[in-house]
Amino acid sequence: MQLLFSISFLVASLAFTLHGWTTLDVLDSLGRPGAGFFPVLIGVLLILTTGWNCIKELATRRALVNTDEQLGSDSQDEVHGLDTLVVATLIVVFLLSFKVLGSFLSMVLFCLLFLSWFNRQKLVFNLLYSLLLPAGVYLLFAVVLRAGLPAGILDFH
Amino acid sequence: MGDIFANLGLGLSVAVSPGNLVFLIIGVSVGMVVGLFPGFGPAAGIAILIPMTFGLDPTTAIIMLSGIYYGAMYGGTITSILINTPGESATVASTLDGYPLARNGRAGPALVMQAVASFFGGTVGVILICAFTPALAGFAASFGPSEYFLIVVLGLLLLTTMMGDNLLKGVISALFGFAIAMVGVDAVSGAQRFTFGSPELIGGIYFVPVAIGLFGIGELLHCIHIGQHRQEVQKLSFSFMSKDFWPTIKDYTESKFTFIRGSVIGFIAGVLPGSGATIGSILAYSIEKKVAKDPEKFGQGEMRGLVAPETANNAASAGAMVPLISLGIPGSGATAVLLGALLMWGLQPGPMLIVNKPDFVWGLIASMYLGNVMLVIISIVAIPLFVKFLDVPYRLVVPVIVILCVIGTFALHSSMIETWLLAITGVVGFGMKKFGYSPAATVLALVLGAMAENTFLQSLIIGDGSLSIFISRPISLFLSCIIAGIIIMAVVLRARRGRIRRKAVADALTQVNG
């Protein structure tokens, strides 16, 4: 996973530099630094550092595999990958429903879905919490601060 | 000296207006609550609450946001002492003796003493700000583009070397922030860069969604990942009516020099770009232990071991305001977000801010002193109340954070692109936190990106395209030498650590094999 993350940084750096190099002028007509000079410089440094990082991580990975084979690795920190994925997905669902359902209903939906996963067997509390928290945030932003929050297809602000 | 009092008088006249006082109280109280929740630092707190300050006067808004910043230092210690979990990285050192004190049945005195120490450190910090800010601003008036560019580089370098374990990943994080800052229209040629034809990207990528995503959503996902939402709450109760709640005279007399040492060390660490409250508090603790005649008592519940980091982290948070105000260079994630907020309100920090907007600068400084007074009162009187916040399970805090992040980001410009950017940077921030990158360096570079580019290009133009400008001016040469020294030191230390690690692995393998 760590290597994949590092590789995606390298790919993003390559794309950034390539796009900057092909669409921007590194030097202007007078030979002075142009709009692309600093971005390309940053891009090149990014490629060098992220590339080096990938090589280092590959080497570390190999060394770890060898060491684990000899030492017998059985220690794994307890992580909650599924829970993290659920929260990330719920945030995406929240954003997808934000314009469609409107701010208030999407907040209620998010709270209900979240609490039904993480706070099971407390139905009444979850319902109350899912109504009161969005109501408080809605009052603060839409009424007190007068932020233009989306109304949604039901025209429910 | 007379100037300092005249300036503070001006500041107090601004800070004590009813509106400013109300928002100062709100800011420091919110800061204390923000500090209580592990993984939810002042940078996230400030970033998330920026949208709520839009209807306010700029001075009031910054007073409130700064209140969150130093209020978090007070709040973060409560969890360090009571449950051995620092709410904020700057209060990590406070766990070393704070938690043993609580275990020894002295939680009450420890909580009161941390409030007094924080107040002392904050007060010394404010006094030193008054002395140093105008002096540094005057000195910085002679700075040219090359000096400013080098200070930006120095700040980022210190942040990545001192705060993170991995220099390379810190540098990548900073470069990533610079890359995001390149999106938008080039100020000189007017050319669009990395906008992909989207009108919403022409103005560039706004720092607030990125900061909220990296610090808010990213930290939250990381806390879920390590299972904070599954932890049982620890029920605690306190009463300040109890005699055992208060520190003894001996606690104060034994710590009298610790108060001063911690404050001075913390302030110096705060002034250095990229160093900040975390380094300051750890340094103050180490020095206190070194100078003590009875170092063996440290770590066993020694009051001086709590006073030193507490005075230091509060003095450092005040000290960090010096480069922020006088140079426009923030030294941490939280002050980078504060800088972004200042720029948002059209306030350009730097040597001229104190000349052009003295009421704002001195009002902010005076408000920090008032904020410290309020915090020491709130800390002591409302400890039983704040402890109640620890009874709230983290799983019930998560919806509050997510909703505030999303609604707050959308409320900025009613932009769904920015709201999606929040989600994307949230996931990236989670990965950065998990794999040892530095989200603070990314935000700092994003906020300083335009300044870095402009000063770098101006330096090149002044130097006729030659990089020698970075060593030909005395101050530039001095800064370049410091930067080179830091890089060399970081590489040498890393190589040494690597050798020690390799030797340890080899020893383990030898033991296993035979």
Side-chain angles (χ1 to χ4, degrees):
Chain A
M1 196 67 177
Q2 184 167 0
L3 185 64
L4 197 71
F5 192 76
S6 302
I7 291 172
S8 48
F9 258 133
L10 174 62
V11 172
S13 306
L14 283 165
F16 174 82
T17 315
L18 205 66
H19 185 77
W21 182 262
T22 52
T23 59
L24 300 168
D25 296 323
V26 176
L27 297 174
D28 66 11
S29 53
L30 298 168
R32 290 180 310 193
F37 186 85
F38 200 70
V40 170
L41 180 68
I42 294 295
V44 171
L45 289 173
L46 264 172
I47 291 171
L48 291 174
T49 49
T50 52
W52 184 18
N53 189 39
C54 285
I55 293 166
K56 269 180 66 180
E57 265 166 24
L58 265 173
T60 313
R61 200 183 163 89
R62 278 203 198 110
L64 273 177
V65 168
N66 291 340
T67 315
D68 285 350
E69 275 172 6
Q70 293 184 57
L71 289 175
S73 171
D74 53 4
S75 67
Q76 270 277 302
D77 288 339
E78 196 194 351
V79 291
H80 298 261
L82 179 64
D83 287 352
T84 315
L85 190 67
V86 168
V87 175
T89 310
L90 288 179
I91 292 172
V92 171
V93 171
F94 182 18
L95 295 192
L96 286 172
S97 64
F98 196 59
K99 282 255 172 175
V100 184
L101 295 179
S103 57
F104 182 74
L105 288 181
S106 61
M107 282 191 273
V108 172
L109 178 70
F110 172 77
C111 286
L112 277 175
L113 291 175
F114 180 88
L115 293 173
S116 60
W117 182 274
F118 289 103
N119 201 38
R120 289 170 199 179
Q121 296 162 346
K122 290 187 179 173
L123 190 66
V124 179
F125 176 85
N126 291 352
L127 274 172
L128 274 173
Y129 194 82
S130 303
L131 283 173
L132 291 176
L133 173 64
V137 174
Y138 177 79
L139 273 175
L140 177 66
F141 278 91
V143 179
V144 179
L145 299 172
R146 294 185 186 179
L149 298 178
I153 49 168
L154 301 175
D155 203 22
F156 190 100
H157 278 273
Chain B
M1 197 67 174
D3 275 357
I4 291 176
F5 287 114
N7 291 331
L8 263 182
L10 169 69
L12 280 171
S13 70
V14 175
V16 294
S17 73
N20 287 347
L21 276 179
V22 168
F23 282 98
L24 179 61
I25 293 171
I26 294 172
V28 294
S29 305
V30 170
M32 277 201 75
V33 177
V34 161
L36 280 172
F37 292 107
F40 190 62
I46 297 167
I48 292 168
L49 294 174
I50 281 178
M52 292 187 202
T53 60
F54 280 168
L56 303 177
D57 170 70
T59 308
T60 311
I62 295 293
I63 283 176
M64 180 179 149
L65 296 174
S66 305
I68 297 171
Y69 173 49
Y70 50 84
M73 300 293 166
Y74 280 71
T77 317
I78 296 178
T79 49
S80 296
I81 293 170
L82 295 179
I83 56 173
N84 202 24
T85 308
E88 226 273 303
S89 63
T91 59
V92 170
S94 306
T95 58
L96 300 174
D97 273 290
Y99 184 60
L101 273 165
R103 248 188 356 212
N104 297 343
R106 302 205 69 211
L111 289 169
V112 175
M113 206 64 176
Q114 72 86 14
V116 175
S118 299
F119 172 71
F120 191 89
T123 304
V124 171
V126 170
I127 293 167
L128 293 174
I129 287 182
C130 296
F132 281 91
T133 306
L136 188 60
F139 180 57
S142 64
F143 283 11
S146 57
E147 283 85 8
Y148 270 107
F149 177 74
L150 290 170
I151 286 174
V152 171
V153 175
L154 179 64
L156 283 167
L157 199 62
L158 280 169
L159 187 72
T160 51
T161 50
M162 295 182 103
M163 301 292 282
D165 293 332
N166 194 318
L167 174 64
L168 180 63
K169 285 181 177 169
V171 172
I172 291 171
S173 309
L175 289 170
F176 182 54
F178 277 141
I180 302 172
M182 296 299 109
V183 176
V185 173
D186 175 39
V188 179
S189 65
Q192 285 188 34
R193 304 191 297 195
F194 308 100
T195 59
F196 305 100
S198 165
E200 287 190 273
L201 290 177
I202 290 174
I205 288 180
Y206 198 39
F207 86 97
V208 179
V210 177
I212 298 179
L214 291 176
F215 293 132
I217 302 288
E219 288 277 1
L220 177 131
L221 290 174
H222 188 256
C223 286
I224 299 275
H225 192 68
I226 58 173
Q228 202 168 307
H229 60 300
R230 300 278 182 199
Q231 282 172 12
E232 292 300 313
V233 287
Q234 297 180 27
K235 298 268 181 193
L236 299 154
S237 61
F238 276 96
S239 166
F240 59 89
M241 302 301 279
S242 156
K243 195 185 148 205
D244 296 338
F245 185 79
W246 302 98
T248 59
I249 300 287
K250 192 176 161 229
D251 287 328
Y252 289 105
T253 49
E254 277 188 354
S255 308
K256 57 182 184 290
F257 295 115
T258 313
F259 278 103
I260 299 163
R261 270 193 294 268
S263 304
V264 174
I265 293 165
F267 185 80
I268 294 168
V271 171
L272 292 174
S275 178
T278 308
I279 302 294
S281 57
I282 294 168
L283 204 64
Y285 182 87
S286 311
I287 290 176
E288 198 54 41
K289 195 175 170 182
K290 272 229 160 74
V291 300
K293 287 176 186 155
D294 45 3
E296 69 284 351
K297 282 188 179 173
F298 283 71
Q300 311 292 320
E302 172 56 50
M303 198 57 91
R304 284 166 294 168
L306 176 66
V307 169
E310 277 308 299
T311 46
N313 67 28
N314 282 275
S317 59
M321 288 290 183
V322 175
L324 179 70
I325 293 169
S326 54
L327 300 174
I329 308 285
S332 64
T335 44
V337 179
L338 266 181
L339 172 67
L342 285 167
L343 296 172
M344 206 171 70
W345 274 290
L347 297 160
Q348 175 67 56
M352 296 315 289
L353 184 67
I354 205 161
V355 178
N356 296 334
K357 295 265 183 191
D359 51 338
F360 167 75
V361 173
W362 293 109
L364 176 61
I365 292 170
S367 80
M368 289 180 73
Y369 183 71
L370 291 177
N372 272 297
V373 175
M374 284 171 190
L375 275 165
V376 74
I377 297 167
I378 293 172
S379 289
I380 295 172
V381 174
I383 280 173
L385 176 71
F386 280 104
V387 165
K388 285 276 165 223
F389 275 96
L390 298 174
D391 293 347
V392 181
Y394 191 72
R395 61 180 178 277
L396 296 183
V397 179
V398 173
V400 181
I401 297 174
V402 171
I403 286 177
L404 281 179
C405 287
V406 172
I407 301 288
T409 304
F410 184 82
L412 290 169
H413 301 117
S414 301
S415 161
M416 272 319 282
I417 286 193
E418 285 187 347
T419 318
W420 279 109
L421 186 68
L422 162 89
I424 295 164
T425 50
V427 174
V428 174
F430 163 63
M432 290 178 84
K433 177 98 183 161
K434 183 168 163 56
F435 301 126
Y437 292 82
S438 167
T442 303
V443 172
L444 196 55
L446 171 60
V447 172
L448 294 175
M451 183 185 180
E453 181 179 14
N454 292 339
T455 51
F456 181 71
L457 295 183
Q458 282 168 6
S459 303
L460 279 187
I461 290 167
I462 293 168
D464 273 339
S466 165
L467 292 174
S468 62
I469 187 161
F470 293 114
I471 48 167
S472 57
R473 290 162 60 99
I475 302 171
S476 295
L477 176 66
F478 176 68
L479 291 168
S480 295
C481 288
I482 292 177
I483 290 169
I486 291 169
I487 293 171
I488 293 166
M489 210 165 75
V491 171
V492 169
L493 284 175
R494 194 168 165 68
R496 211 175 119 189
R497 270 205 303 266
R499 267 201 310 274
I500 293 169
R501 205 178 299 136
R502 275 195 298 276
K503 192 174 176 293
V505 171
D507 289 348
L509 285 174
T510 318
Q511 275 183 2
V512 167
N513 294 332

